[in-house]
């Protein structure tokens, strides 16, 4: 069974631009979450989607947004990029419920210059 | 609020040594507990999990026991290999069986393990 697929793997953007990252969950997984990983802040929760609805959102500015489509694929968007947005962005999918854990993709490495 | 504390790294061991990485947590309710591993340039891989008190999760020679009385979930392996070199993250999630408002993973800061031949 295919894993969680994130595209692109690497991205270089300029300050002020916007970026869209994509995540395809494991087939049958309807819950998709996004995390930001940086050396300074570690792993931080961005948001979670289930059945096209955002169920939970982390403490990030409104420049960070996301959505989920009817096939459970998800995208996240960051507008007006700042240097501090440089990070590894990880997507994870799961069957709903706390007992199952999340399966992560390999991530998108975003570099803002 | 919910939080996870894990021992600072790096942890440097010789091959075949015994490994312990400490993890303690603070949580309301009854969290599920996880260990994830991250190899260089990769995403996170679920290593093992435990969903209730006294459960023992195990995988690839790694073990961790959910201790509610000490709010701990320490990771152990009897004999590490060079291929175990990675960053290990302890994490918890709350939210109920069918998911809920707090259904998100809370991670520790990660512990770098370096195993030397």
């Amino acid at each position: 069974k295919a894993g969680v697929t994130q595209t692109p793997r690497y991205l270089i953007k300029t300050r002020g631009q916007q970026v869209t990252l994509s995540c395809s969950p494991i087939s049958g997984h309807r819950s998709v979450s996004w995390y930001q990983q940086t050396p300074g802040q570690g792993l931080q929760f961005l948001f979670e989607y289930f059945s096209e609805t955002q169920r939970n959102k982390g403490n990030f500015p409104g420049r960070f947004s996301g959505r989920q489509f009817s096939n459970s694929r998800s995208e996240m968007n960051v507008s007006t990029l700042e240097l501090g947005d440089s990070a590894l962005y990880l997507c994870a999918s799961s069957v709903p419920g706390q007992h199952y854990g999340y399966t992560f993709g390999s991530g998108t490495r975003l570099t803002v210059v | 609020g919910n939080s996870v504390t894990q021992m600072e790294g790096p942890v440097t061991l010789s091959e075949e040594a015994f490994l312990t990485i400490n993890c303690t947590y603070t949580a309301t309710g009854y969290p599920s507990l996880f260990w994830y591993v991250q190899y260089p340039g990769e995403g996170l891989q679920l290593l093992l999990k435990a969903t209730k008190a006294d459960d023992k999760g195990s995988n690839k020679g790694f073990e961790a026991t959910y201790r509610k009385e000490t709010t701990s979930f320490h990771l152990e392996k009897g004999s590490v290999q060079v291929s175990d070199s990675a960053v290990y993250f302890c994490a918890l999630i709350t939210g109920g069986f069918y998911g809920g408002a707090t259904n998100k993973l809370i991670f520790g800061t990660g512990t770098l393990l370096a195993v030397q031949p």
Side-chain angles (χ1 to χ4, degrees):
Chain A
K1 158 161 131 170
V4 178
T5 303
Q6 291 189 246
T7 56
R9 283 298 305 272
Y10 302 94
L11 208 47
I12 300 175
K13 289 288 189 179
T14 303
R15 252 185 320 178
Q17 288 186 312
Q18 75 165 16
V19 67
T20 299
L21 312 181
S22 179
C23 172
S24 294
I26 289 173
S27 178
H29 284 191
R30 294 166 61 197
S31 175
V32 174
S33 299
W34 290 88
Y35 291 81
Q36 182 196 64
Q37 185 177 25
T38 60
Q41 299 298 317
L43 283 153
Q44 294 187 285
F45 172 79
L46 278 156
F47 23 66
E48 182 200 10
Y49 287 87
F50 176 69
S51 292
E52 303 178 65
T53 300
Q54 187 182 88
R55 294 203 301 179
N56 204 355
K57 182 170 165 49
N59 190 24
F60 279 81
R63 300 185 296 107
F64 291 81
S65 63
R67 59 178 175 168
Q68 186 180 34
F69 302 94
S70 58
N71 61 358
S72 295
R73 191 178 71 85
S74 178
E75 290 181 347
M76 68 163 281
N77 184 276
V78 187
S79 63
T80 319
L81 284 165
E82 301 177 358
L83 295 179
D85 296 333
S86 295
L88 180 66
Y89 289 89
L90 292 164
C91 167
S93 75
S94 175
V95 174
Q98 71 176 77
H99 298 289
Y100 300 102
Y102 283 80
T103 301
F104 282 80
S106 296
T108 294
R109 172 75 63 184
L110 171 65
T111 302
V112 182
V113 297
Chain B
N2 299 334
S3 66
V4 174
T5 302
Q6 41 180 128
M7 64 189 286
E8 294 278 336
V11 173
T12 303
L13 296 172
S14 298
E15 207 163 24
E16 299 183 4
F18 184 85
L19 168 71
T20 300
I21 300 178
N22 290 337
C23 170
T24 57
Y25 68 89
T26 301
T28 54
Y30 302 94
S32 292
L33 302 174
F34 305 88
W35 277 100
Y36 282 87
V37 59
Q38 186 174 37
Y39 298 100
E42 301 282 326
L44 300 174
Q45 296 178 25
L46 178 62
L47 182 59
L48 53 84
K49 67 177 182 180
T51 58
K52 61 183 187 298
D54 300 325
D55 266 2
K56 177 186 279 189
S58 61
N59 186 27
K60 299 181 183 179
F62 292 90
E63 293 183 339
T65 301
Y66 189 145
R67 301 284 188 202
K68 190 165 174 62
E69 63 278 11
T70 55
T71 62
S72 65
F73 192 55
H74 305 322
L75 181 68
E76 296 182 336
K77 187 176 185 184
S79 176
V80 294
Q81 305 300 311
V82 172
S83 57
D84 294 327
S85 298
V87 180
Y88 292 80
F89 292 92
C90 184
L92 68 82
I93 192 167
T94 62
F97 186 80
Y98 295 104
T102 59
N103 200 23
K104 63 181 181 182
L105 280 163
I106 306 294
F107 287 94
T109 52
T111 302
L112 173 62
L113 170 65
V115 180
Q116 299 175 337

